[in-house]
């Protein structure tokens, strides 16, 4: 079978490999999304991923042969979190933030392949009315649903989303679904900002406009009720406390791999809430399966490119090209 294999920093290639063996449910993969985590692995900055590794944890596949209560031809996705079951978070009902959390496609081979074997307890059936490409978005939708839940958005809130990549745009969709009124999305990429506008959001190009001025104008000088940080850019962390009102909420969706300056005096003087968010619970993953069908039209607009697995060796050149308008890229695992 073919698989996209991480071989070391900035090196991936399509390998012809022996089909996987072992206990579990054998899947024929259909699509797998390229995630920001995959980019981190490709760059060599991920602290756990070790080469050689088959990438990918946002996938949809079909069961090849009856096994463990699943039937041949049944479409499934996977809840890709691997928790230890014994640490404090696992013992107290939060296994999604397990002290030694591992993931498919990071700590063991993932779904950018023609086939894989997945343990049955991780598999989640995909309803017939959810298309294959839409099903490949269930995992990132679960990530952003968790963000919206953590941010505690209430009806009519004015929100700011910094970063118009896939997570930023899906987060904006989740905030709107949760009842947010006015949503401003910032970025520096014109193509991504255009897509945000097409999805009905106000946009700010921070390479030529002041986000602080835009937020002040939108809120009569008060500041946003909620800001969700999805850019991972240090200058945003330095500015974000200025952008929310007194008593407002900052939610970190991006994962900073190194310390960055944050004006902590604002946290105290404005009595702000700073909330972290990491992956999702099983219940949020289940809700994401339902949500993708309800938000099918805007979600599928985020899929800007589909590349065949056979030609996926260059996929990271596409997704890391600053001149590219790529947003969500899927790998067609059978092409």
């Amino acid at each position: 079978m073919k698989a996209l294999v991480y071989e070391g920093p900035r090196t991936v290639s399509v390998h012809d490999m022996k089909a996987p063996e072992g206990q579990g449910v054998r899947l024929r993969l259909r699509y797998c999304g390229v995630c920001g985590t995959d980019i981190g692995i490709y760059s060599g900055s991920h602290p756990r991923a070790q080469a050689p590794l088959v990438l990918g944890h946002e996938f949809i596949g079909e069961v090849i042969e009856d096994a463990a209560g699943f039937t041949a031809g049944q479409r499934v996705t996977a809840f890709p979190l691997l928790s230890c079951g014994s640490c404090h978070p696992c013992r107290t009902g939060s296994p999604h933030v397990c002290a030694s959390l591992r993931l498919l496609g990071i700590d063991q081979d993932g779904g950018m392949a023609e086939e894989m074997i997945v343990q049955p307890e991780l598999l989640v059936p995909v309803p017939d009315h959810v298309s294959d490409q839409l099903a490949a978005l269930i995992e990132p939708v679960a990530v952003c649903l968790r963000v919206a839940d953590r941010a505690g958005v209430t009806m009519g809130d004015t929100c700011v989303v910094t970063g118009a990549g896939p997570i930023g745009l899906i987060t904006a969709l989740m905030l709107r679904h949760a009842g947010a009124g006015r949503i401003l999305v910032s970025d520096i990429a014109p193509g991504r900002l255009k897509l945000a506008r097409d999805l009905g959001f106000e946009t700010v190009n921070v390479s030529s406009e002041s986000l602080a001025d835009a937020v002040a104008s939108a809120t009569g000088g008060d500041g946003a009720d909620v800001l969700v940080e999805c850019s991972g850019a240090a200058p945003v962390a330095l500015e974000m406390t200025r952008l929310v009102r007194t008593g407002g909420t900052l939610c970190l969706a991006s994962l900073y791999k190194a310390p960055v300056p944050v004006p902590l005096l604002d946290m105290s003087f404005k009595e702000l809430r700073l909330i972290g968010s990491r992956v999702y619970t099983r219940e949020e993953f289940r809700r994401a399966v339902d949500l993708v069908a309800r938000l099918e039209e805007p979600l599928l607009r985020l899929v800007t490119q589909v590349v065949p697995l056979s030609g996926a060796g260059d996929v990271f050149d596409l997704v890391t090209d600053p001149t590219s308008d790529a947003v969500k890229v899927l790998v067609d695992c059978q092409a």
Side-chain angles (χ1 to χ4, degrees):
M1 70 165 195
K2 289 184 173 61
L4 184 65
V5 178
Y6 166 66
E7 299 175 315
R10 305 194 69 79
T11 306
V12 296
S13 63
V14 179
H15 285 213
D16 285 311
M17 304 173 61
K18 184 179 179 181
E21 298 179 348
Q23 298 297 313
V25 180
R26 185 178 297 275
L27 304 182
R28 179 179 298 109
L29 283 308
R30 294 188 176 184
Y31 289 97
C32 186
V34 179
C35 172
T37 301
D38 300 318
I39 297 172
I41 295 172
Y42 169 73
S43 71
S45 65
H46 197 284
R48 300 196 316 272
Q50 299 294 316
L53 174 71
V54 179
L55 297 168
H57 59 273
E58 306 174 354
F59 55 83
I60 162 72
E62 64 178 282
V63 176
I64 293 176
E65 54 196 23
D66 293 359
F70 293 91
T71 58
Q74 184 176 7
R75 294 186 312 136
V76 293
T77 186
F79 180 83
L81 309 187
L82 307 170
S83 303
C84 75
S86 60
C87 68
H88 181 268
C90 287
R91 297 195 313 270
T92 54
S94 298
H96 68 291
V97 285
C98 169
S100 55
L101 185 69
R102 299 175 299 128
L103 275 81
L104 300 180
I106 298 174
D107 302 281
Q108 64 185 60
D109 285 343
M112 289 189 195
E114 290 180 321
E115 294 184 14
M116 72 182 298
I117 292 176
V118 179
Q119 297 309 302
E121 63 270 18
L122 299 179
L123 293 178
V124 177
V126 173
D128 291 342
H129 60 275
V130 174
S131 69
D132 286 346
Q133 290 192 10
L134 194 58
L137 301 179
I138 289 171
E139 197 275 347
V141 166
V143 169
C144 300
L145 179 58
R146 176 70 178 174
V147 170
D149 285 350
R150 293 284 289 159
V153 175
T154 57
M155 192 66 65
D157 277 353
T158 295
C159 299
V160 175
V161 176
T162 51
I167 293 300
L169 291 175
I170 298 175
T171 292
L173 291 172
M174 294 302 105
L175 295 175
R176 185 163 66 191
H177 181 76
R182 196 166 184 177
I183 301 173
L184 287 74
V185 177
S186 69
D187 205 289
I188 61 173
R192 291 185 171 191
L193 290 169
K194 180 181 184 304
L195 179 55
R197 288 192 296 275
D198 291 344
L199 291 170
F201 304 115
E202 299 177 56
T203 62
V204 181
N205 188 330
V206 292
S207 65
S208 58
E209 305 172 73
S210 165
L211 181 56
D213 288 348
V215 173
S217 177
T219 62
D222 291 339
D225 299 295
V226 173
L227 180 144
V228 181
E229 210 305 90
C230 300
S231 73
V236 176
L238 187 61
E239 182 183 35
M240 63 185 182
T241 60
R242 296 174 51 208
L243 304 176
V244 291
R245 63 169 172 79
T246 297
T249 298
L250 304 165
C251 185
L252 298 180
S254 53
L255 301 177
Y256 284 84
K257 299 299 177 64
V260 296
V262 175
L264 293 180
L265 187 63
D266 287 344
M267 299 297 301
S268 298
F269 275 29
K270 296 173 72 175
E271 292 195 341
L272 304 178
R273 294 194 312 149
L274 178 61
I275 304 292
S277 184
R278 183 185 182 192
V279 292
Y280 34 75
T281 65
R282 280 190 176 267
E283 173 60 17
E284 284 159 338
F285 197 90
R286 183 201 64 75
R287 287 166 57 198
V289 175
D290 297 331
L291 265 178
V292 292
R294 298 175 65 178
L295 299 173
E296 177 176 8
E297 191 275 334
L299 285 171
L300 286 180
R301 294 177 74 171
L302 303 183
V303 179
T304 51
Q305 280 91 4
V306 177
V307 300
L309 176 61
S310 58
D314 297 329
V315 69
F316 289 101
D317 293 334
L318 171 64
V319 297
T320 60
D321 181 354
T323 66
S324 170
D325 287 335
V327 179
K328 192 64 182 176
V329 177
L330 302 183
V331 173
D332 184 338
C333 296
Q334 298 299 315

